[in-house]
Amino acid sequence: MEYCTAHCQYCTRALSVDTSQVTEVEDICECAVKFGIRISSSIWVISDIKEPEGSFGPLNASDRMERKDVKIINQGLEDEMEVWGYRRCPWKMVLVGVGTVCTGGLLLLLLYWLPEWGVKGTCSRSATITEAQILLLRSTDEFRRWFRVKLRVMLAPGEGPFDPVTPHVPGGDGQGTQALGAFQDEPQEKCVHLQPAQILYFSHHSTKYYWNELLQNFEVFKGLEDIRVTCSSIHTDHSSGLSRMLQDYRRVFFDENEIAVRVPSVFKLLIKEVLNPFYIFQLFSVILWTTEQYYYYAATIVLMSIVSIVTSLYTIKKQYVMLHDMVATHSVIRVSVCRGNKGSSPSDVEEAMSTELVPGDVIVIPANGIIMPCDAALIQGTCIVNESMLTGESVPVTKTSLPSSGEEGAACYSTEEHKRYTLFCGTHVIQTRFYTGELVKAVVVRTGFSTEKGQLVRSILHPKPTDFKLYRDASRFLLCLVGVAGIGFVYTIVHSVLNEVPVKTIVTKSLDIITITVPPALPAAMTAGIVYAQRRLKNVGIFCISPQRINICGQLNLVCFDKTGTLTEDGLDLWGIQRAEKGSFSAPEGDPGDETLVKSSFVSCMATCHSLTKIEGELSGDPLDLKMFNATGWILEEATEEETALHNPIMPTVVRPPKQVLPEVNQEVSLAENMELSELMLSYEIGIVRQFPFSSALQRMSVVVRKLGEKHMDAYLKGAPEVVVSLCRPETVPESFTETLESYTRQGFRVIALAHRHLEAKLSWHKIQNLNRDLIETNMEFLGLIIMQNKLKDETAGVLEDLRRANIRTVMVTGDNMLTAISVARDCGMITPNERVIIADATPPKDVQPARINWQYIENNVPKKQDSAESVEIDLEDVSHVVCGPPREKHYHFAMTGKSFAVITEHFPDLVQKLALRSTIFARMAPDQKTQLVEILQGVDYTVGMCGDGANDCGALKRAHSGISLSELEASVASPFTSSISNISCVPNLIREGRAALITSFCVFKFMALYSIIQYLSVTLLYSILSNLGDFQFLFIDLAIILVIVFTMSLNPAWKVLVAQAPPSSLISGPLLFSVLTQMLTCLTFQVVAFLWVKNQSWYEKWTPQSDACNISSSSFTHGLNVTSNVSHKNIRNYENTTLFYVSSFQYLAVAIIFSKGKPFRQPSYKNWPFMLSCVTLYIFLFVIMLYPVPAIDNFLEIVCVPHEWRITVVIIVLMNAAVSFLLESTIECCNSPFLSWLFCSKWRTPRVRYMQVAQELLKDPDWPPKPASLTYTTSSRHT
């Protein structure tokens, strides 16, 4: 136990308490009762932590200092950050100013790019956060991003939005009409009771953080949930609304209720874009080239940069405008607000702008619907809401009022746990149900960016960086190129000094070598493949809002699938029903609409227990409910607004059987008897008095109904069979229930159970409205089973087989029954017939019994090819690649329910990673558990894809490396990819395009690296003779060759099938580095050979305009080729330059063709006609100007005439270079597995990814997997 001294913020009372025992203030201090406040124990200030007995001593000084200086905000959340305080330091700022002037502004740019350096370079650490002027924030995730924010101060009459502040303003109107000015603008003599407090705060990523003096940390005010209100207290304490004065006070902290997406000005975007390091480097390069009079190339780079900047600004501006328009639609509207002013009636309602709303306001939901401007808890009435903006599901959802009593009423309100009572911002309230004289009301719980919609927009405005190894490796490789440039830089300076070159020339040439080695066009070249892949994805109906994730799709090695609507058809077909009578099942029946069943409780339950409603005359609601109701043939009628106003109680929704056709009149049946029968059928109606909506957590829904003419009411229940049976009287449940259920679920049917209960006659309509569902959903009578057939989509089995052949693991995550999920997994090939399924059935600790896992082996009905031994071998994700042994057949899969998943993650953390490697079926999973599962799989280094229909998968879609939504609704904003084709065929298409884009990125990067090295070698060799490439030679190489090749070699489409071979995942890998290194040495060798060989020719001399090495008879032609007015001081025209220009130009083309990989991830290069046309055209052009010189071209490119024999020699050098390069690359590809894998990824090395490490450990574990029917307890690792 940890004891501390705590002080209450209201009475300053100090007590020594055990912090683990404090849950509410009332537990230890009576002042909270006096003020009527319920606040968590966080209001206590822990001032003196006493070390418990048996501890290892007090914390050392450095630990205490670190804890004192560093604050953690958003602790445990995704955006957790560390905070340090700083104050501006005058002498540091002076030094930075001097350094900025001396470096021409480069130091200021460096501090702008590195916020940490910027703050530490101009500020000093403050003793406390409250004394700080600048805060330095650092995220605690793997990216460790730094942010700089300014600490601000504001005045307010209280320290928090929910403080009991009741200022009295003399001369006021009694209604609190003084707005914020009552707190800030009124003179002191008019506000004698106000005690303004100085509150420190800062804003970051659309969120305000306020300093809490008691917590000694920053906190975020989100809404009513901050004060832990219970559902019942919302009804009792917050249902009358706020006065205008209190509303204005709270707005000081919560700001206006607006999700403000500020569209930056073009100038601001331009400055931010231009200050990118890439453009600064380009600016530096252009200035350098201009000083060297390389005007044409510099102008071309400037033009390319302008086009790139304009395109980028247009795209960014367009995205901001689209997001602004999407958010602004219906975001500012007029609403009806209830005012809780003293002396006024509770029904006082006034019009106000939605931007004025604050948590605690009570708004009236109009009968004709509204687009919700905030998150609000419904406290009166019923609403039918379209939540497609959040869930991706266009099915209307019924929202009922928040429970005010019972266990649910005593629970603390949470938007996540009570979402079925919450109207979320941005959702469309289609229609309302209300009582006569009473309004449909809701209490505002969150506003602005704290709402669900606000958090979604905030995640779009401030996305988490994409962590992809390719980009990290690219940065490291660029650093290597910078190192190479440094060597050339030093060599140029030393060589130029030794040759007494002018200082100006030394500076320009040494800096020029840096611009050559680090290519300015690299980012654009790397992006080309992604842009082309995005365009191809759009052509097959896959839309992408995060293009950088396309490359990540190429690395996917595990894909999670939702079942219903994803693997199987979205709708269910009714296969039949099986009623239970007198404790036993009757024979299955196919048509519940049969006349003999009209008055049965079973059909009545099917007709009433649903959430269907009529919208514009059409039945709408959950597809399952629609299918069940339509099967009965009954008719649903809803009361109109006029009908509701005529009655004191609410007019219930009524269902009744269809009108019966009268039997034909004959001698045996009189007309009177026919009419009597007709009236009897027409009078059978059932009114739905109250509805308890379906809850995914409870896995059931229920209704309270009253039949026409009967005094008592009935309750009907439907839900998961296991849940329904637990709520029924045992004697009503058939003994064969378990066997019958298993027989259906094993065949892949979806089974729903029904139950019924007669309610006591004393229960009136008003009592029912206030009754807790737990009191109704008990002591039920089991009615039977509804068997729904959920068919596999036609494409499912084939797609999963493709993924299986590609060694991409597949996992099913569903909310359906376990055995149904297993059956579907077998049907679609996710689990093959010869593989065992082991169910991990975990139970939480109870009383003295510890948590345990019961390992149940599911027998197959399909004959196995091998003898099924109890000791199952394991091969986890092809560990043979690591251990270099032959692959072994996989024999088993784990399966578990959401309840077991929760128990295992909480009580068996040591088994989580082991189970993650072989668990294939996750049934009865809640939405947040799906997200948690994705995080666990990512934790063992899987690259995870998630494919779902968007209904309950939004969290998992956002969390996965690649989320693919099959819904085209607004919820697709949460998913990086959205498919217009509602089947999983989009998954292999996306992976294929991802692999093609990934390989293209590797090819382009290797080519650009070789381009830099080849040009670097040419320039370095020419520097040795105080020469260089000419301006138009650079222009021809960089524009006509490099840019054309780069943008056409990226056009290779994806290969038509997924292959088992995985694409490379890193640039810093043995095979890739070996490939680049061998090509680099080859190019170096042939350039040096050509450079030295030309000097040994008999005709070689130092070139002058009068040189005549061509031996051409026509002196005029020779003169036309070689004579210039005077010799250029740059020494561009010479034989070495001409030779290296020819050789290097052919090297660029040869390397491009060699690196432009085709199979197995891209189509062959010969199918990429723009690339082939470019290469052929350039080859022809170069051969023509080399073998048959054209005077105009030679003068333009500043090349000189050489003898025809030497031209033939250069052709031979070029061809030999191409042949050697091709043979080396082919050899590397052929020997990649047996040699390079042994050399660079040898078997004795520990694998880098965590799941392979765990796989190796499990292969050596003789007790894994657990034996059948064994138990694993949390207290030890033993099996019993």
Side-chain angles (χ1 to χ4, degrees):
M1 293 188 296
E2 189 177 80
Y3 289 91
C4 65
T5 301
H7 298 272
C8 176
Q9 79 175 54
Y10 298 104
C11 65
T12 67
R13 180 184 179 189
L15 290 174
S16 179
V17 296
D18 173 9
T19 54
S20 64
Q21 301 298 321
V22 179
T23 56
E24 297 289 339
V25 178
E26 295 92 323
D27 293 341
I28 53 177
C29 185
E30 64 276 8
C31 74
V33 178
K34 178 175 67 177
F35 285 106
I37 299 169
R38 295 177 60 86
I39 303 180
S40 66
S41 57
S42 60
I43 73 158
W44 291 85
V45 182
I46 300 176
S47 57
D48 181 26
I49 296 180
K50 300 179 181 179
E51 300 295 333
E53 294 184 7
S55 68
F56 294 97
L59 299 171
N60 57 49
S62 62
D63 289 340
R64 289 186 181 277
M65 183 61 67
E66 184 178 356
R67 291 190 180 188
K68 178 181 178 182
D69 293 348
V70 182
K71 302 296 180 183
I72 307 284
I73 60 176
N74 303 325
Q75 194 160 8
L77 302 178
E78 185 180 9
D79 53 352
E80 180 180 278
M81 289 181 290
E82 299 170 321
V83 184
W84 291 268
Y86 286 84
R87 293 186 64 84
R88 295 184 182 89
C89 179
W91 66 267
K92 285 187 177 183
M93 296 179 71
V94 171
L95 284 180
V96 169
V98 173
T100 302
V101 173
C102 294
T103 59
L106 290 179
L107 177 60
L108 201 61
L109 277 174
L110 184 65
L111 299 183
Y112 169 77
W113 293 330
L114 301 171
E116 179 191 9
W117 292 15
V119 172
K120 292 181 179 179
T122 57
C123 304
S124 300
R125 288 287 297 273
S126 60
T128 61
I129 291 288
T130 55
E131 298 175 4
Q133 296 172 321
I134 301 294
L135 298 181
L136 188 61
L137 314 179
R138 184 179 70 179
S139 63
T140 58
D141 55 19
E142 65 272 23
F143 302 103
R144 299 287 177 175
R145 293 171 294 160
W146 293 90
F147 305 96
R148 169 180 175 157
V149 296
K150 185 180 292 185
L151 190 62
R152 303 178 184 275
V153 181
M154 76 172 187
L155 293 178
E159 295 183 354
F162 302 106
D163 282 0
V165 178
T166 54
H168 171 68
V169 184
D173 60 0
Q175 301 296 323
T177 54
Q178 286 80 1
L180 192 55
F183 304 126
Q184 295 180 348
D185 299 333
E186 291 293 328
Q188 183 66 28
E189 61 268 20
K190 292 184 69 178
C191 302
V192 292
H193 292 282
L194 292 179
Q195 299 294 331
Q198 286 191 346
I199 300 176
L200 301 175
Y201 74 96
F202 70 89
S203 298
H204 177 66
H205 285 179
S206 307
T207 303
K208 275 191 176 181
Y209 296 83
Y210 295 91
W211 177 256
N212 188 316
E213 192 65 36
L214 298 168
L215 298 178
Q216 287 293 296
N217 203 349
F218 289 97
E219 61 181 345
V220 178
F221 297 128
K222 294 183 177 180
L224 279 184
E225 294 169 275
D226 294 341
I227 54 175
R228 294 172 59 86
V229 292
T230 62
C231 296
S232 59
S233 66
I234 289 180
H235 281 276
T236 56
D237 303 334
H238 300 275
S239 59
S240 59
L242 303 177
S243 65
R244 185 180 293 277
M245 180 187 64
L246 191 54
Q247 183 192 57
D248 292 336
Y249 168 67
R250 290 189 179 178
R251 200 180 305 118
V252 174
F253 295 91
F254 290 109
D255 290 332
E256 288 192 341
N257 173 36
E258 183 181 10
I259 303 174
V261 178
R262 311 294 181 193
V263 180
S265 65
V266 175
F267 178 77
K268 186 175 182 180
L269 289 174
L270 177 64
I271 295 299
K272 187 175 181 180
E273 187 73 15
V274 169
L275 292 182
N276 185 292
F278 165 62
Y279 290 117
I280 296 299
F281 179 69
Q282 280 195 337
L283 177 63
F284 163 76
S285 303
V286 167
I287 294 173
L288 179 63
W289 294 329
T290 304
T291 61
E292 295 182 290
Q293 297 180 1
Y294 292 163
Y295 298 121
Y296 296 102
Y297 186 57
T300 304
I301 290 297
V302 169
L303 181 62
M304 289 176 55
S305 299
I306 291 175
V307 171
S308 176
I309 290 172
V310 170
T311 304
S312 179
L313 288 181
Y314 174 77
T315 304
I316 295 173
K317 182 83 173 180
K318 182 179 178 182
Q319 289 175 346
Y320 268 110
V321 170
M322 287 178 62
L323 185 61
H324 175 270
D325 292 344
M326 183 190 79
V327 172
T329 305
H330 308 295
S331 62
V332 180
I333 58 176
R334 296 198 68 84
V335 293
S336 299
V337 183
C338 298
R339 289 294 176 212
N341 301 315
K342 291 184 178 179
S344 64
S345 65
S347 61
D348 280 356
V349 178
E350 65 180 42
E351 294 290 314
M353 297 304 297
S354 60
T355 53
E356 300 175 10
L357 296 176
V358 296
D361 270 326
V362 176
I363 60 175
V364 177
I365 310 298
N368 58 350
I370 187 177
I371 302 290
M372 289 299 297
C374 58
D375 289 353
L378 193 61
I379 59 171
Q380 193 167 289
T382 303
C383 293
I384 299 170
V385 187
N386 185 335
E387 293 188 325
S388 61
M389 194 282 298
L390 292 178
T391 65
E393 183 62 64
S394 59
V395 174
V397 179
T398 300
K399 302 281 186 172
T400 57
S401 59
L402 199 67
S404 59
S405 60
E407 187 177 336
E408 280 193 279
C412 287
Y413 173 80
S414 166
T415 53
E416 180 64 30
E417 295 178 8
H418 298 92
K419 60 175 61 178
R420 59 185 181 275
Y421 312 115
T422 305
L423 306 174
F424 291 102
C425 178
T427 59
H428 183 199
V429 178
I430 301 172
Q431 57 183 236
T432 62
R433 307 276 181 80
F434 53 92
Y435 315 139
T436 302
E438 297 187 16
L439 302 173
V440 178
K441 296 180 181 180
V443 177
V444 177
V445 291
R446 288 187 179 185
T447 58
F449 278 99
S450 295
T451 63
E452 288 289 323
K453 181 180 179 180
Q455 292 178 39
L456 176 61
V457 173
R458 191 159 69 95
S459 68
I460 298 172
L461 286 173
H462 312 286
K464 193 174 181 179
T466 303
D467 181 26
F468 192 39
K469 200 172 183 182
L470 172 65
Y471 306 124
R472 297 200 305 268
D473 291 345
S475 302
R476 294 170 187 169
F477 204 92
L478 282 177
L479 290 178
C480 295
L481 291 180
V482 171
V484 173
I487 297 173
F489 180 82
V490 173
Y491 166 77
T492 303
I493 294 177
V494 172
H495 186 270
S496 300
V497 170
L498 293 178
N499 286 276
E500 300 180 351
V501 177
V503 175
K504 179 183 177 182
T505 307
I506 294 175
V507 172
T508 55
K509 283 192 172 183
S510 57
L511 292 176
D512 196 31
I513 202 77
I514 296 176
T515 64
I516 290 171
T517 313
V518 183
L522 180 61
M526 293 284 286
T527 306
I530 297 175
V531 173
Y532 296 146
Q534 185 178 11
R535 188 175 63 186
R536 290 193 296 267
L537 286 173
K538 187 176 181 180
N539 291 336
V540 295
I542 301 174
F543 303 94
C544 174
I545 63 171
S546 180
Q548 296 300 326
R549 289 185 182 252
I550 295 177
N551 271 342
I552 301 180
C553 294
Q555 286 294 322
L556 291 181
N557 50 19
L558 185 148
V559 183
C560 298
F561 292 98
D562 182 33
K563 184 181 76 69
T564 306
T566 303
L567 298 175
T568 61
E569 295 290 349
D570 199 12
L572 296 171
D573 295 324
L574 182 68
W575 181 85
I577 61 174
Q578 190 159 11
R579 294 183 297 143
E581 295 179 346
K582 299 179 181 180
S584 62
F585 279 117
S586 59
E589 298 168 272
D591 182 17
D594 188 89
E595 291 184 9
T596 59
L597 301 177
V598 167
K599 289 191 174 183
S600 66
S601 296
F602 192 96
V603 172
S604 298
C605 183
M606 290 181 65
T608 57
C609 196
H610 52 71
S611 57
L612 300 179
T613 185
K614 277 193 174 181
I615 299 176
E616 297 181 356
E618 293 291 328
L619 267 182
S620 182
D622 184 86
L624 174 64
D625 289 346
L626 273 172
K627 189 70 68 172
M628 287 174 47
F629 183 78
N630 289 335
T632 63
W634 285 38
I635 299 170
L636 182 142
E637 294 179 350
E638 290 181 331
T640 63
E641 185 175 340
E642 293 78 10
E643 289 173 334
T644 305
L646 294 175
H647 297 78
N648 187 26
I650 185 173
M651 285 287 290
T653 297
V654 174
V655 294
R656 57 180 176 78
K659 295 180 179 179
Q660 304 295 315
V661 179
L662 292 175
E664 294 183 5
V665 180
N666 52 39
Q667 287 78 9
E668 297 180 6
V669 182
S670 67
L671 178 61
E673 289 175 340
N674 280 316
M675 294 182 64
E676 184 180 346
L677 177 62
S678 175
E679 290 176 0
L680 178 64
M681 296 302 298
L682 290 175
S683 64
Y684 189 73
E685 295 182 351
I686 303 177
I688 303 174
V689 177
R690 189 178 181 191
Q691 182 187 99
F692 297 100
F694 176 79
S695 165
S696 57
L698 300 175
Q699 297 180 5
R700 65 179 185 267
M701 78 162 291
S702 60
V703 291
V704 177
V705 303
R706 170 176 280 171
K707 295 177 183 177
L708 183 64
E710 294 190 4
K711 295 183 179 180
H712 69 86
M713 298 186 189
D714 295 272
Y716 289 112
L717 172 75
K718 77 170 182 184
E722 307 93 330
V723 175
V724 172
V725 165
S726 66
L727 301 174
C728 292
R729 300 194 305 275
E731 64 272 13
T732 65
V733 180
E735 294 181 1
S736 61
F737 168 78
T738 304
E739 294 79 5
T740 304
L741 177 62
E742 286 191 8
S743 69
Y744 287 124
T745 54
R746 283 182 185 276
Q747 298 175 62
F749 290 112
R750 182 170 181 179
V751 182
I752 298 168
L754 306 182
H756 164 252
R757 176 187 171 189
H758 288 292
L759 298 179
E760 295 80 0
K762 63 181 181 180
L763 288 177
S764 64
W765 181 89
H766 286 285
K767 288 183 179 179
I768 288 293
Q769 300 305 316
N770 297 317
L771 209 58
N772 188 9
R773 71 185 297 172
D774 292 337
L775 299 176
I776 293 176
E777 296 171 349
T778 185
N779 203 29
M780 309 287 286
E781 175 191 357
F782 184 77
L783 293 179
L785 304 174
I786 300 176
I787 301 97
M788 310 292 289
Q789 192 173 17
N790 195 193
K791 297 178 181 178
L792 280 177
K793 291 183 178 180
D794 296 336
E795 302 82 4
T796 297
V799 169
L800 294 182
E801 179 60 27
D802 290 343
L803 296 177
R804 188 182 184 91
R805 283 199 300 262
N807 284 337
I808 297 174
R809 185 179 156 198
T810 54
V811 172
M812 183 190 296
V813 190
T814 178
D816 209 342
N817 176 275
M818 168 71 78
L819 294 177
T820 301
I822 293 174
S823 174
V824 171
R826 291 195 183 280
D827 291 342
C828 67
M830 192 175 287
I831 299 175
T832 59
N834 63 321
E835 292 176 329
R836 284 279 188 93
V837 176
I838 306 173
I839 295 180
D841 184 15
T843 54
K846 186 177 181 181
D847 300 329
V848 295
Q849 188 76 13
R852 65 179 183 178
I853 304 176
N854 181 15
W855 307 97
Q856 304 173 8
Y857 279 51
I858 301 297
E859 293 296 332
N860 300 338
N861 295 326
V862 181
K864 291 187 171 63
K865 298 178 182 179
Q866 303 176 9
D867 181 38
S868 54
E870 298 291 356
S871 177
V872 184
E873 292 182 301
I874 182 170
D875 174 42
L876 299 169
E877 281 303 304
D878 200 8
V879 185
S880 59
H881 289 175
V882 181
V883 298
C884 299
R888 292 185 294 181
E889 188 178 4
K890 301 175 182 178
H891 290 290
Y892 70 95
H893 299 261
F894 286 111
M896 67 183 74
T897 62
K899 290 181 179 179
S900 296
F901 177 79
V903 172
I904 291 172
T905 52
E906 180 179 358
H907 299 285
F908 298 90
D910 55 319
L911 293 180
V912 169
Q913 291 189 353
K914 296 180 180 180
L915 290 172
L917 265 66
R918 294 298 293 152
S919 293
T920 302
I921 306 296
F922 294 88
R924 299 295 190 201
M925 294 286 279
D928 59 325
Q929 289 180 320
K930 294 183 180 182
T931 306
Q932 189 180 0
L933 172 63
V934 170
E935 292 175 345
I936 289 173
L937 294 172
Q938 291 173 333
V940 291
D941 296 335
Y942 277 112
T943 306
V944 182
M946 175 70 195
C947 182
D949 58 3
N952 294 312
D953 309 314
C954 287
L957 289 170
K958 288 176 64 177
R959 177 66 64 185
H961 291 107
S962 174
I964 312 160
S965 171
L966 301 185
S967 167
E968 291 186 85
L969 300 172
E970 290 175 332
S972 61
V973 175
S975 176
F977 300 95
T978 302
S979 173
S980 60
I981 303 171
S982 58
N983 60 63
I984 64 172
S985 62
C986 60
V987 175
N989 288 336
L990 182 59
I991 296 176
R992 286 191 303 105
E993 291 295 348
R995 288 183 171 186
L998 181 61
I999 294 301
T1000 298
S1001 297
F1002 279 115
C1003 294
V1004 168
F1005 194 91
K1006 289 166 64 178
F1007 172 69
M1008 293 298 289
L1010 259 295
Y1011 145 67
S1012 300
I1013 295 299
I1014 291 171
Q1015 197 168 84
Y1016 169 80
L1017 294 174
S1018 302
V1019 172
T1020 304
L1021 289 171
L1022 292 175
Y1023 276 4
S1024 67
I1025 61 170
L1026 303 181
S1027 180
N1028 198 356
L1029 292 173
D1031 190 4
F1032 290 102
Q1033 289 176 340
F1034 276 121
L1035 197 64
F1036 174 77
I1037 291 171
D1038 292 331
L1039 294 184
I1041 297 180
I1042 302 305
L1043 289 184
V1044 171
I1045 292 298
V1046 159
F1047 289 112
T1048 55
M1049 77 185 299
S1050 302
L1051 287 169
N1052 287 40
W1055 186 240
K1056 54 189 175 183
V1057 295
L1058 281 175
V1059 296
Q1061 178 185 348
S1065 59
S1066 172
L1067 277 172
I1068 313 298
S1069 63
L1072 287 174
L1073 289 179
F1074 197 67
S1075 172
V1076 172
L1077 184 61
T1078 53
Q1079 296 299 327
M1080 187 187 306
L1081 293 175
T1082 302
C1083 294
L1084 171 63
T1085 302
F1086 281 94
Q1087 281 202 38
V1088 171
V1089 167
F1091 181 77
L1092 297 178
W1093 199 353
V1094 71
K1095 291 185 176 183
N1096 293 327
Q1097 299 303 305
S1098 58
W1099 47 266
Y1100 176 81
E1101 63 179 358
K1102 184 175 181 181
W1103 188 88
T1104 64
Q1106 290 74 33
S1107 297
D1108 187 14
C1110 292
N1111 296 320
I1112 300 176
S1113 58
S1114 173
S1115 59
S1116 62
F1117 183 66
T1118 304
H1119 181 76
L1121 284 174
N1122 294 325
V1123 176
T1124 56
S1125 57
N1126 46 51
V1127 180
S1128 173
H1129 70 278
K1130 295 181 181 179
N1131 190 23
I1132 302 299
R1133 293 175 181 267
N1134 54 64
Y1135 300 119
E1136 293 91 338
N1137 170 286
T1138 299
T1139 301
L1140 288 181
F1141 172 74
Y1142 283 137
V1143 172
S1144 63
S1145 296
F1146 280 104
Q1147 285 180 338
Y1148 298 132
L1149 293 175
V1151 168
I1153 295 173
I1154 289 169
F1155 282 164
S1156 185
K1157 306 287 186 184
K1159 294 190 298 184
F1161 305 113
R1162 302 198 307 168
Q1163 296 280 1
S1165 293
Y1166 62 79
K1167 291 189 176 182
N1168 181 359
W1169 68 264
F1171 175 69
M1172 295 306 297
L1173 181 63
S1174 302
C1175 290
V1176 170
T1177 303
L1178 287 169
Y1179 263 118
I1180 293 173
F1181 176 79
L1182 289 171
F1183 274 122
V1184 167
I1185 66 171
M1186 185 169 67
L1187 295 176
Y1188 305 99
V1190 179
I1193 295 177
D1194 285 0
N1195 282 329
F1196 179 78
L1197 294 176
E1198 298 183 273
I1199 55 180
V1200 299
C1201 186
V1202 294
H1204 189 73
E1205 292 79 6
W1206 179 245
R1207 297 174 189 275
I1208 299 300
T1209 304
V1210 173
V1211 171
I1212 294 173
I1213 292 173
V1214 166
L1215 294 177
M1216 289 182 62
N1217 186 352
V1220 171
S1221 296
F1222 179 77
L1223 288 173
L1224 283 173
E1225 189 70 14
S1226 300
T1227 304
I1228 291 172
E1229 288 184 1
C1230 294
C1231 301
N1232 186 16
S1233 296
F1235 174 67
L1236 291 179
S1237 295
W1238 172 84
L1239 182 63
F1240 294 102
C1241 189
S1242 52
K1243 62 183 179 182
W1244 53 81
R1245 289 182 56 184
T1246 303
R1248 294 181 180 179
V1249 291
R1250 178 58 186 158
Y1251 67 84
M1252 283 192 174
Q1253 296 173 9
V1254 177
Q1256 283 187 333
E1257 297 170 6
L1258 293 182
L1259 287 176
K1260 302 173 185 177
D1261 187 353
D1263 295 328
W1264 192 264
K1267 301 297 185 294
S1270 62
L1271 297 176
T1272 301
Y1273 292 94
T1274 187
T1275 54
S1276 66
S1277 301
R1278 71 180 186 276
H1279 301 292
T1280 59

